[in-house]
Structure formats: structure tokens, C-alpha cells
Amino acid sequence: LAKTTQPISMDSYEGQEVNITCSHNNIATNDYITWYQQFPSQGPRFIIQGYKTKVTNEVASLFIPADRKSSTLSLPRVSLSDTAVYYCLVGEGNQAGTALIFGKGTTLSVSS
Amino acid sequence: DAGVIQSPRHEVTEMGQEVTLRCKPISGHDYLFWYRQTMMRGLELLIYFNNNVPIDDSGMPEDRFSAKMPNASFSTLKIQPSEPRDSAVYFCASTIGSQERAQYFGPGTRLLVL
């Protein structure tokens, strides 16, 4: 499994766009990039997944450059409720049954 | 759908006692995962099942830990005997094998072993 590196923490203000970058230099050809969000006292929640280029859903966008050695989670116009820990995961294929390996994550703090 | 259900939500016990954590996955999901989260080690996978069969238990810390899935709607994680270093939040998650790698986590069980 490819190792991921992401900032330990980030600060932002309400209404701003937040970009969290994850490095995964050893990503394999079959690896997908997945992001989870975790609020205090709750289990992680799936946000978005991508393989290359750009993926967008109702919550976030995921930008993946051509070399796929990094990826950026973009949260548009954050609010206080987006304060959470965000995890970047890289794993083989599109296999839901594959175990997830979580790193330390990025703690995002949004202030008013 | 009620989501993944875990019980109890909180458990306080004394060292040496047996602890049983319970999980009900989302109906129709064929994969079930048990994770443990601590400040020091983050989120760790303990074991996971596919169609009620244990697939990978390499994350189980030691023989004091055991997990079962007697049917598609119920799983248990047992610690016997419990030790203070087992104090953590234990999460259960489930998913469908045909979907993308999105696992649905329960609310967790916060375990404190005194």
C-alpha cells in the first residue's frame, strides 16, 4: 500500500475555499485515492474517490495531476461544521473489500 | 436505513474482565470491518469479514482479542481478559463488495479499562 503524507493541521475562515494536499509518491497503477472525514466522537465518513484528473460531487472536488503522485481535496466555501479531521487513503483498485489504512489525517479548523 | 449500529456506546470495565462489543451492519452489505482508534496509533484495522467469513485478522493485537460473525446481521468483538492498554474507540464498518471503496462506519464504542 502506498504511503501518504498530508499536513497535520490547517486553519481557515468561514466562506473560504480550503485545499488539502496529499502526497503519495509510491502510488501504484491500480491505486485509487479516497478521502474520508471524521468529526469528534463519530466514525469516519466517505467524502470522495478518484483515479485521475478531477472528480466532483456535492461535497467536494478532488484534483489529481497526471503523474498521480499527489492529490488535492478542495472544499468550497467552508463553514464551521466542516471542522474535522480529513484522511487521504491510497489503495489497490476499486475493491470495496480491501482494508483501509488510515494515516494521521489533517485536522481542519474553521473559524468565524 | 439505520446505518451501522454498535453497542454499547460506552463501556467502562476493570482490568481482567471480559468485554464484548457488538455490531449490526447495514442490511445487504457483505463486508464487515472492525477498527480501533487511539490518539497514539490512529485508526487501525483489526479484522474484516466477507460473507460472514474472516478474511484478514492480521491486525488483531493478540490472542486476547477474538471476533465472530455468526450471521450477516451481527458481529462481535471480544476481549478477554481486558487490559488498560485496550482502552480506545472501537469502530465497526460495512460495505458492499461491488461498490467503490466507501465504507460506512458506526458511531463507535468508547472502551475504558481501569
Side-chain angles (χ1 to χ4, degrees), chain A residues 57-86:
Chain A
N57 61 23
E58 65 278 5
V59 177
S61 294
L62 180 59
F63 298 92
I64 306 169
D67 65 6
R68 304 198 329 120
K69 293 185 181 300
S70 67
S71 59
T72 299
L73 174 72
S74 181
L75 305 172
R77 298 180 298 281
V78 295
S79 63
L80 296 176
S81 62
D82 292 317
T83 295
V85 180
Y86 293 82

Side-chain angles (χ1 to χ4, degrees), chain A residues 50-61:
Chain A
Y51 182 78
K52 62 180 179 180
T53 62
K54 177 184 176 182
V55 179
T56 298
N57 61 23
E58 65 278 5
V59 177
S61 294

Side-chain angles (χ1 to χ4, degrees), chain B residues 9-94:
Chain B
R9 292 295 308 278
H10 303 275
E11 178 80 24
V12 180
T13 190
E14 293 185 343
M15 182 174 62
Q17 296 297 309
E18 177 181 292
V19 175
T20 300
L21 310 181
R22 298 172 176 79
C23 175
K24 176 179 170 55
I26 294 173
S27 178
H29 284 192
D30 55 353
Y31 282 86
L32 184 140
F33 303 79
W34 281 100
Y35 292 87
R36 177 174 69 175
Q37 186 172 38
T38 62
M39 287 295 293
M40 290 295 295
R41 302 176 67 89
L43 201 62
E44 305 171 278
L45 175 69
L46 300 177
I47 185 172
Y48 75 95
F49 297 81
N50 177 217
N51 291 323
N52 312 337
V53 177
I55 302 301
D56 184 354
D57 64 355
S58 59
M60 297 286 262
E62 47 198 277
D63 292 344
R64 296 185 297 106
F65 285 69
S66 62
K68 294 182 180 180
M69 192 165 185
N71 57 63
S73 60
F74 183 67
S75 177
T76 61
L77 178 67
K78 186 175 296 185
I79 308 172
Q80 167 63 19
S82 59
E83 297 182 2
R85 58 192 170 120
D86 301 330
S87 298
V89 181
Y90 290 80
F91 289 105
C92 175
S94 70

Side-chain angles (χ1 to χ4, degrees), chain A:
Chain A
L1 294 172
K3 180 181 178 180
T4 61
T5 302
Q6 51 184 125
I8 294 176
S9 63
M10 294 183 68
D11 296 316
S12 182
Y13 291 96
E14 285 187 292
Q16 290 187 334
E17 178 184 79
V18 172
N19 296 308
I20 306 175
T21 298
C22 178
S23 298
H24 27 79
N25 292 321
N26 297 325
I27 190 169
T29 303
N30 291 335
D31 283 348
Y32 276 68
I33 301 155
T34 310
W35 286 81
Y36 278 76
Q37 173 192 57
Q38 186 177 24
F39 297 112
S41 301
Q42 295 186 23
R45 182 175 73 102
F46 172 86
I47 301 176
I48 196 167
Q49 180 185 23
Y51 182 78
K52 62 180 179 180
T53 62
K54 177 184 176 182
V55 179
T56 298
N57 61 23
E58 65 278 5
V59 177
S61 294
L62 180 59
F63 298 92
I64 306 169
D67 65 6
R68 304 198 329 120
K69 293 185 181 300
S70 67
S71 59
T72 299
L73 174 72
S74 181
L75 305 172
R77 298 180 298 281
V78 295
S79 63
L80 296 176
S81 62
D82 292 317
T83 295
V85 180
Y86 293 82
Y87 297 95
C88 167
L89 288 78
V90 174
E92 180 180 348
N94 193 23
Q95 301 172 12
T98 303
L100 302 181
I101 308 298
F102 287 80
K104 297 293 186 182
T106 298
T107 299
L108 172 64
S109 299
V110 181
S111 303
S112 58

